[in-house]
């Protein structure tokens, strides 16, 4: 994969806005509602404080509540109720519109990440921690989902601040001048506290990914953990990672927790100055109270904007991880611009001087040249780590050679579309993974429109029909996540049926019968014999007794071809194959 450079701040913001842009209508309506709701409180305050000045004037004239007071208080009451009615209306629709934008943005980002992950080659998942990917799909996406709400606050809080500031200026220019002296101090404190939040957020997320990785590993392998009585060790390992995640999170929390109290303290200092200025300049009581109320609201807006700044830095950290670690990672295996669909293949596979290594300095395969004719049954054998599965993985382009070419029916497989290539290849991996759902849906995974007769025919060929029929609901039986309700042999037979159902022209069996007992394996092998006819079949085997009838046996050692021939020829040469086969036979006899 091509590792992307971290995007700069402006690029991150622009790309975040690109996820929000499709919902600009709802966002605009939500922001307008937020802006209109900001005017409600000053209107109510102005009406109330004006009434207080009126009452005070009446009191000075010797009549606290003259007859016209009832009319005036009624008008004030209606004004306040009307202002709060508008506040209720606008805040309701603000929440409705902006929450929809937030949910849709989250849905859009999750969809983009999941779709991109499906295009990534196997090497990407080998190099990535599952916990880190899960943390990105959950925590980071949730942070980005809140971008609509942060955008609301980022736009509305300054508007509110201007409205409150205008109210203060109308109430008293002198008091406003004294108050504004403290505003730069508030801005400076906010800048100082939020400066490192993006870095702290990244560290916190990394530590959380460590804990999630341990959780994912242990939950996926409870049998291994319990078999080695490692429960307490795993608990301790998780606790250490969890504590590290907690400490990283607290470093961020300590800074954000300081923000609001610091701004409020500065606001308290400003309030003291305002009280002094109000008395010194003999500001009328109604205007004085209006100013104090508006100043309190302005302080809340500034404090809220500081929180937005902190959350925004954390959001940028989440966006950085999502783009850098997932969305901007360019798949190393992808269709060329001029790639063409592969016609119905015959199944002739040619390796031309092929070399491959996961790391450039550590080659796994070296200068492999091999021709497999259509319809041949070819076995890859050799010691563990010889490169058998790696060589087979080059055919469906799970990996690409670092040098040399792989050709099918004369086509360089890099010149044809990946989908058209893989649709004509059936693969049964050693680890037979099933998906949550029914037995029927698992068999039909590669061909969702398959008929019941086709599904049953594939199951019979894999010797799976009888045990399926014995299940509580037959083919409609739920298998559980990763097929946990079935035995290893049953899962392998379903995986074989799944591969056969797609009617592939090339079959790749990677230890596909390793979980079967000898009798079941014999029955499956016999049934598969009819499916192998006319199809190019590649079998990766450790049990050499299963491939004695192969047309060609390719013996690999240290990433190179050591021998090629059929069973009888290789035994006669007395080479590596002969040594491996005889050693296995002695073990069976013993």
């Amino acid at each position: 994969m091509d590792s992307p450079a971290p995007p700069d701040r402006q690029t991150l913001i622009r790309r975040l806005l690109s996820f929000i842009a499709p919902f600009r209508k709802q966002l605009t309506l939500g922001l307008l509602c937020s802006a209109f709701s900001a005017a409600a409180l000053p209107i109510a305050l102005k009406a109330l404080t004006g009434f207080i000045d009126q009452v005070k004037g009446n009191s000075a004239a010797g009549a606290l509540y003259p007859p016209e007071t009832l009319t005036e208080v009624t008008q004030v009451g209606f004004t306040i109720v009307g202002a709060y009615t508008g506040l209720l209306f606008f805040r309701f629709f603000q929440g409705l519109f902006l929450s929809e934008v937030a949910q849709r943005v989250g849905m859009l980002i999750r969809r983009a990440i999941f779709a991109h992950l499906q295009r990534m080659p196997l090497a990407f998942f080998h190099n990535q921690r599952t916990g880190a990917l899960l943390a990105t799909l959950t925590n980071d996406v949730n942070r980005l989902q809140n971008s609509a709400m942060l955008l609301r606050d980022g736009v509305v809080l300054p508007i509110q601040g201007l409205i409150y500031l205008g109210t203060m200026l109308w109430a008293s220019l002198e008091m406003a001048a004294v108050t504004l002296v403290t505003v730069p101090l508030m801005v400076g404190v906010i800048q100082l506290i939020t400066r490192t939040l993006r870095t702290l957020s990244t560290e916190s997320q990394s530590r959380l990914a460590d804990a999630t990785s341990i959780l994912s590993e242990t939950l996926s392998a409870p049998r291994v953990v319990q078999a080695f009585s490692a429960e307490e060790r795993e608990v301790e390992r998780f606790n250490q990672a969890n504590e590290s995640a907690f400490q990283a999170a607290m470093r961020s929390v300590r800074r954000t927790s300081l923000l609001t109290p610091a701004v409020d303290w500065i606001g308290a200092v400003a309030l003291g100055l305002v009280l002094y200025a109000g008395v010194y300049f003999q500001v009328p009581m109604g205007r004085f109270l209006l100013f104090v109320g508006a100043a309190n609201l302005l302080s809340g807006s500034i404090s809220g904007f500081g929180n937005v700044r902190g959350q925004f830095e954390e959001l940028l950290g989440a966006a950085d991880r999502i783009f850098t670690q997932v969305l901007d990672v360019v798949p190393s295996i992808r269709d060329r611009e001029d790639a063409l669909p592969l016609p119905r293949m015959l199944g002739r596979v040619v390796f031309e001087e092929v070399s491959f290594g996961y790391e450039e300095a550590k080659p796994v395969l070296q200068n492999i040249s091999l021709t497999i004719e259509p319809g041949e049954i070819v076995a890859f054998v050799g010691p563990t780590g010889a490169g058998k599965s790696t060589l087979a993985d080059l055919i469906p382009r799970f990996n690409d050679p670092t040098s040399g070419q792989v050709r099918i029916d004369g086509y360089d497989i890099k010149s044809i579309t990946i989908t058209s290539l893989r649709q004509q290849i059936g693969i049964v991996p050693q680890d037979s993974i099933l998906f949550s759902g029914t037995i029927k849906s698992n068999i039909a995974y590669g061909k969702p429109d398959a008929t019941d007769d086709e599904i049953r025919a594939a199951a019979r060929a894999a010797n799976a029909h009888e045990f399926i029929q014995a299940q509580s609901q037959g083919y409609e039986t739920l298998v559980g996540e990763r097929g946990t309700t079935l035995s290893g042999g049953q899962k392998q037979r379903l995986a074989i049926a799944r591969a056969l159902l797609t009617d592939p022209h090339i079959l790749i069996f990677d230890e596909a019968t390793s979980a079967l007992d000898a009798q079941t394996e014999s029955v499956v092998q016999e049934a598969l014999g009819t499916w192998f006819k006319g199809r190019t079949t590649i079998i990766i085997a450790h049990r050499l007794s299963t491939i004695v009838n192969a047309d060609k046996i390719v013996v690999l050692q240290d990433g190179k071809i050591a021998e090629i021939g059929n069973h009888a020829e290789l035994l006669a040469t007395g080479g590596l194959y002969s040594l491996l086969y005889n050693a296995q036979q002695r073990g069976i006899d013993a």
Side-chain angles (χ1 to χ4, degrees), residues 455-470 475 493:
I455 292 171
R456 283 174 167 74
R460 287 190 178 93
N463 194 29
H465 180 71
E466 289 187 5
F467 92 75
I468 294 173
Q469 291 289 65
Y475 282 81
R493 281 179 277 173

Side-chain angles (χ1 to χ4, degrees), residues 214 299 316 392 505:
I214 295 173
S299 176
L316 287 182
H505 300 286

Side-chain angles (χ1 to χ4, degrees), residues 75 113 175 243 301 416 464 478 482 578:
Q75 292 174 345
I113 291 174
M175 293 172 70
E243 175 68 19
S301 294
I416 56 181
L478 295 173
R482 295 177 67 89
S578 178

Side-chain angles (χ1 to χ4, degrees), residues 378-394:
V378 177
F380 292 167
V381 303
T384 301
K388 303 181 294 295
S389 296
T390 303
L391 183 59
D393 282 348
L394 298 179

Side-chain angles (χ1 to χ4, degrees), residues 347-351 369-381 388 391-392 395 506-511 532 535-541 546-556 561 563-567 570:
R348 188 173 192 266
V349 181
V350 178
F351 296 89
S369 292
L370 173 67
T371 298
I372 302 173
E373 298 296 342
E376 274 192 328
I377 299 176
V378 177
F380 292 167
V381 303
K388 303 181 294 295
L391 183 59
I395 299 173
I506 295 177
L507 279 168
I508 300 175
F509 284 70
D510 190 350
E511 289 294 313
F532 288 169
R535 306 172 199 270
T536 302
T537 304
I538 296 168
I539 301 173
I540 301 165
T546 63
I547 49 91
V548 294
N549 294 321
D551 299 312
K552 186 184 296 178
I553 299 172
V554 179
V555 185
L556 294 168
I561 295 179
E563 299 173 296
I564 297 180
N566 60 35
H567 176 69
L570 293 176

Side-chain angles (χ1 to χ4, degrees), residues 176-448:
V178 171
T179 305
L180 291 177
V181 173
T182 62
V183 171
L185 183 59
M186 286 186 176
V187 173
V189 168
I190 291 171
Q191 175 69 19
L192 180 66
I193 293 176
T194 59
R195 184 185 303 164
T196 60
L197 282 180
R198 180 174 170 183
T199 302
L200 291 174
S201 172
T202 299
E203 182 190 1
S204 175
Q205 187 67 6
S206 178
R207 300 288 78 79
L208 182 61
D210 292 339
T212 306
S213 291
I214 295 173
L215 185 66
S216 176
E217 289 170 1
T218 52
L219 290 181
S220 64
R223 184 188 296 270
V224 176
V225 174
Q226 295 177 21
F228 289 93
S229 301
E231 294 92 341
E232 292 302 320
R233 293 202 307 273
E234 290 299 330
V235 168
E236 179 60 25
R237 192 161 71 104
F238 177 78
N239 286 345
Q240 289 177 359
N242 202 26
E243 175 68 19
S244 179
F246 167 76
Q247 294 297 341
M250 287 306 299
R251 284 191 284 274
S252 178
V253 167
R254 278 191 285 271
R255 291 194 74 86
T256 54
S257 297
L258 180 63
L259 187 60
T260 299
V263 172
D264 288 345
W265 182 85
I266 297 172
V269 172
L271 179 60
L273 294 174
V274 162
L275 292 175
Y276 181 84
V279 174
Y280 182 83
F281 290 110
Q282 295 294 302
V283 178
M285 181 59 67
R287 290 187 173 233
F288 181 86
L289 293 176
L290 175 61
F291 185 94
V292 171
N296 186 55
L297 291 174
L298 177 62
S299 176
S301 294
I302 294 174
S303 178
F305 192 77
N307 288 327
V308 168
R309 174 68 188 275
Q311 294 175 47
F312 184 68
E313 291 299 326
E314 293 180 346
L315 182 145
L316 287 182
D320 194 353
R321 288 186 295 274
I322 286 176
F323 292 127
T324 304
Q325 297 177 14
V326 183
L327 291 180
D328 288 347
V329 179
V330 179
S332 58
I333 298 175
R334 56 190 183 273
D335 287 337
R336 295 192 327 205
E337 291 184 5
D338 60 347
L340 298 173
L342 177 67
R344 183 176 177 84
M345 68 166 66
L346 297 174
R348 188 173 192 266
V349 181
V350 178
F351 296 89
E352 298 178 351
E353 294 292 324
V354 167
S355 296
F356 172 79
Y358 295 101
E359 298 177 27
E360 190 172 345
K362 297 179 181 179
V364 179
L365 300 172
Q366 301 179 60
N367 300 318
I368 300 291
S369 292
L370 173 67
T371 298
I372 302 173
E373 298 296 342
E376 274 192 328
I377 299 176
V378 177
F380 292 167
V381 303
T384 301
K388 303 181 294 295
S389 296
T390 303
L391 183 59
D393 282 348
L394 298 179
I395 299 173
R397 286 195 73 190
F398 291 153
N399 296 306
D400 275 342
T402 50
S403 65
Q405 286 186 335
V406 180
R407 294 183 174 275
I408 292 181
D409 295 349
Y411 293 93
D412 179 352
I413 60 174
K414 292 184 179 180
S415 69
I416 56 181
T417 61
I418 295 173
T419 299
S420 67
L421 171 67
R422 293 176 182 170
Q423 282 177 342
Q424 300 189 59
I425 299 174
I427 301 172
V428 183
Q430 184 175 4
D431 185 12
S432 302
I433 300 297
L434 300 181
F435 300 93
S436 56
T438 64
I439 289 176
K440 177 181 176 181
S441 66
N442 269 280
I443 295 176
Y445 186 76
K447 189 179 180 182

